[in-house]
Amino acid sequence: QVRLVESGGGLVQAGGSLRLSCVASGSTFRINAMAWYRQAPGKQRELVAHISTSGAGAVYADSVKGRFTISRDNAKNTVYLQMNSLKPEDTAVYHCSANTVVSTYWGQGTQVTVSS
């Protein structure tokens, strides 16, 4: 089992920045790729960014390219999402996920609200 706990969300004005963190505990040695997803009210959950096991490779949604950066510190079992130049359309609950060979685990999420 893997437990994920996100933090760092909040209310920010458009153009501002936030840094989200997600700490994994439990069977962390089983974790491979990790990712950040978001879900806005009335919308489906969407992939924001994905990072490989080593952290060497990352993939981003077109809507956040050039503004968001995903990174991970495997020694701390933590994945980060640095969000710059935030827009009102970035408002959502942000969830991190962790993949193992047999399952995908999810955190409870952290709310990000961007005011115009």
Side-chain angles (χ1 to χ4, degrees):
Q1 292 288 332
V2 173
R3 182 170 181 252
L4 303 172
V5 179
E6 302 98 333
S7 63
L11 174 63
V12 64
Q13 288 188 330
S17 298
L18 284 173
R19 188 193 195 205
L20 305 183
S21 300
C22 172
V23 179
S25 60
S27 301
T28 57
F29 63 95
R30 299 183 184 277
I31 295 174
N32 298 319
M34 300 186 75
W36 285 96
Y37 285 77
R38 67 186 181 187
Q39 187 165 20
K43 294 188 177 181
Q44 289 188 331
R45 186 174 294 185
E46 64 171 347
L47 175 67
V48 175
H50 174 279
I51 190 166
S52 63
T53 306
S54 68
V59 176
Y60 297 90
D62 287 343
S63 59
V64 307
K65 280 181 183 176
R67 300 188 298 123
F68 291 11
T69 303
I70 188 171
S71 61
R72 66 190 292 174
D73 184 337
N74 289 336
K76 295 182 178 179
N77 298 314
T78 302
V79 62
Y80 304 97
L81 186 67
Q82 178 66 45
M83 305 186 295
N84 299 328
S85 302
L86 283 161
K87 304 175 181 180
E89 51 263 44
D90 294 319
T91 295
V93 177
Y94 284 70
H95 299 266
C96 71
S97 71
N99 294 330
T100 67
V101 173
V102 297
S103 189
T104 298
Y105 296 89
W106 296 90
Q108 290 289 92
T110 185
Q111 176 71 47
V112 172
T113 302
V114 184
S115 63
S116 57

